[in-house]
Amino acid sequence: MKKIYGIIGDPIAHSLSPVMHNAVFEKLGLDAIYLAFRVSKDELGDAIRGAKSLGISGLSVTIPLKEKALSFVDAEEVAKKIGAINTIDFSSGTPVAYNTDGIGSLRVLKETVSEIKGKKVLILGAGGAAKAISFYLDAEGARVTIANRTKERAALLASNLRNANSIGLDTDTLTKRIEDSDILINATSVGMHPHEDATLVNADMMHPDLVVFDVVYNPMETKLLKEAKRAGVKKIVDGVKMLVYQGAASFRIWTKEEPPIDVMEKAVRDVLIQD
Ligand code: NAD
């Protein structure tokens, strides 16, 4: 029987996960389909219970459900510590949840810089993506600073890490901290379609040796990345690779098979180039 996978979130029409996973099912000849389901926070419990009853094999979970979903699943230890999930596996009968966002971002950064340990990393945002990314970087020995609009949320996230601190988002504070940082990561939704002209950091706040990584992947080249180019930044990373690596980690959990990364990346980039 055809296996059914999907992604739940709200809004969901923008998601490229269906195109990415369906390309893999086709390439590997698996009898499976991956669909997008718009689910509000209020309907989340019913949706997860319904998915289990309907025999759905696996779900991805996205904005704004990643934190609340923890209440309806058995979560793996790391996902519990992060405080957010993005993957549910139904193969054991009960829904078991994981967080693969941090794994995806860490793989991207390990391909970009020689050593994470000791690097000064400034993360913009304190939401689901920031929590997952900061957890893995902190565990690798990076010196993480969380910068968030609501300072209390930044402080709370930093206090849950081993070696992290927090700041607000005012330009002076940000500029000073960027001067002293090795890696800048935008883990907010600022710059995401349809607000493509927005950025929290401009060219005059960056230096050429900074690594600039934007987790936003739509558009592929965000305003932040354009500004980084203007500042002469040598290592610029868009959000597509992270999307692919977190998706690949989820795919392995669901199917126990190794997905072709190049097929996933091409499927996503092809759609984004057409936009
Ligand atoms: P979230 O809603 O949990 O968190 C959003 C964060 O952005 C919060 O910290 C919020 O304070 C901040 N923010 C929003 N608007 C802001 C503004 N105008 N000024 C300052 N800060 C602002 O969302 P999330 O799940 O953490 O996702 C954040 C972004 O990361 C989204 O664009 C999402 O698509 C992207 N994302 C990408 C990947 C990937 O694989 N590339 C994975 C996860 C999330």
Side-chain angles (χ1 to χ4, degrees):
M1 202 165 87
K2 192 183 272 305
K3 288 195 167 176
I4 299 173
Y5 298 85
I7 181 162
I8 55 173
D10 185 17
I12 202 61
H14 70 286
S15 175
L16 294 179
S17 292
V19 113
M20 181 169 79
H21 286 290
N22 286 323
V24 179
F25 292 147
E26 198 184 324
K27 179 75 182 176
L28 298 183
L30 300 179
D31 188 15
I33 187 165
Y34 185 107
L35 303 165
F37 301 101
R38 185 169 176 192
V39 172
S40 70
K41 270 191 175 175
D42 291 343
E43 293 161 326
L44 180 57
D46 287 343
I48 293 173
R49 282 187 289 272
K52 177 177 175 283
S53 309
L54 290 172
I56 285 180
S57 299
L59 287 176
S60 306
V61 180
T62 190
I63 303 176
L65 310 176
K66 288 181 180 180
E67 284 145 328
K68 190 171 181 194
L70 267 172
S71 329
F72 304 105
V73 292
D74 268 347
E76 185 208 29
E77 244 358 86
V78 171
K80 271 192 217 155
K81 281 188 187 150
I82 292 170
I85 64 149
N86 74 336
T87 304
I88 306 176
D89 179 32
F90 293 93
S91 61
S92 70
T94 50
V96 181
Y98 303 81
N99 189 315
T100 66
D101 280 336
I103 297 167
S105 65
L106 187 63
R107 183 164 171 193
V108 168
L109 286 167
K110 282 189 166 172
E111 285 177 358
T112 311
V113 298
S114 50
E115 174 82 65
I116 303 282
K117 193 171 177 200
K119 288 280 184 309
K120 293 178 201 160
V121 186
L122 176 58
I123 299 179
L124 308 176
K131 280 183 181 171
I133 295 168
S134 62
F135 178 86
Y136 277 88
L137 290 180
D138 183 64
E140 288 282 318
R143 291 154 68 189
V144 174
T145 299
I146 308 289
N148 195 51
R149 205 165 34 174
T150 316
K151 275 191 199 169
E152 292 74 24
R153 282 194 78 188
L156 181 63
L157 173 49
S159 71
N160 287 330
L161 300 171
R162 295 187 317 188
N163 185 16
N165 55 49
S166 64
I167 57 172
L169 272 185
D170 59 287
T171 306
D172 281 354
T173 314
L174 268 187
T175 306
K176 274 197 202 111
R177 188 51 65 107
I178 292 168
E179 257 171 40
D180 190 37
S181 296
D182 303 302
I183 301 173
L184 170 69
I185 303 175
N186 175 43
T188 73
S189 41
V190 176
M192 190 170 86
H193 176 80
H195 305 291
E196 303 186 356
D197 283 335
T199 178
L200 296 171
V201 176
N202 295 311
D204 52 11
M205 299 161 75
M206 296 187 232
H207 58 83
D209 293 327
L210 191 67
V211 171
V212 180
F213 170 28
D214 201 334
V215 306
V216 173
Y217 58 81
N218 187 7
M220 259 191 296
E221 189 177 56
T222 58
K223 174 85 169 164
L224 173 72
L225 299 187
K226 286 185 179 144
E227 290 291 301
K229 252 189 196 167
R230 219 156 63 76
V233 170
K234 291 175 280 240
K235 288 188 178 170
I236 294 175
V237 186
D238 67 35
V240 173
K241 271 264 156 85
M242 176 175 163
L243 178 73
V244 169
Y245 289 159
Q246 63 78 30
S250 303
F251 189 90
R252 280 183 212 106
I253 290 168
W254 294 325
T255 66
K256 316 287 179 275
E257 294 212 30
E258 186 56 34
I261 296 288
D262 54 340
V263 170
M264 299 175 87
E265 185 168 354
K266 184 172 181 316
V268 173
R269 291 203 191 271
D270 282 353
V271 173
L272 289 171
I273 286 164
Q274 283 162 21
D275 277 357

